[in-house]
Amino acid sequence: EAEEVHHIRPREFKGKDQPRNLMPLCKECHDEIHRRLDKAMEFAIASTTATMQASGRRAQTTLEGYE
């Protein structure tokens, strides 16, 4: 049974509160999606930072608005 609503494109990234951007989920599934998204973002930041450092460029290691 759906207990929560997930924004497919997060509001922080201009996702709208429109039906096509919303996904009803149970709390456990919603939590799991966010755990996986957090891990993916951590990996992407680390990977990008390493690549930029190897090429001598400075990497921004924070994502404004992402929580």
Side-chain angles (χ1 to χ4, degrees):
E1 182 177 316
E3 302 167 346
E4 299 185 1
V5 177
H6 174 71
H7 287 79
I8 298 165
R9 181 175 184 171
R11 287 179 284 186
E12 293 87 8
F13 297 112
K14 300 184 182 180
K16 306 290 183 193
D17 289 332
Q18 297 175 343
R20 67 177 182 232
N21 189 47
L22 303 175
M23 179 187 304
L25 296 168
C26 70
K27 180 167 178 28
E28 287 180 21
C29 292
H30 196 200
D31 290 346
E32 181 65 20
I33 284 175
H34 281 277
R35 272 193 294 277
R36 291 181 185 209
L37 288 172
D38 289 346
K39 281 186 177 183
M41 290 302 274
E42 288 173 17
F43 176 80
I45 291 169
S47 178
T48 301
T49 300
T51 300
M52 292 183 80
Q53 287 173 343
S55 67
R57 293 179 287 171
R58 183 184 166 118
Q60 178 179 342
T61 58
T62 62
L63 293 174
E64 293 181 18
Y66 180 79
E67 296 177 8

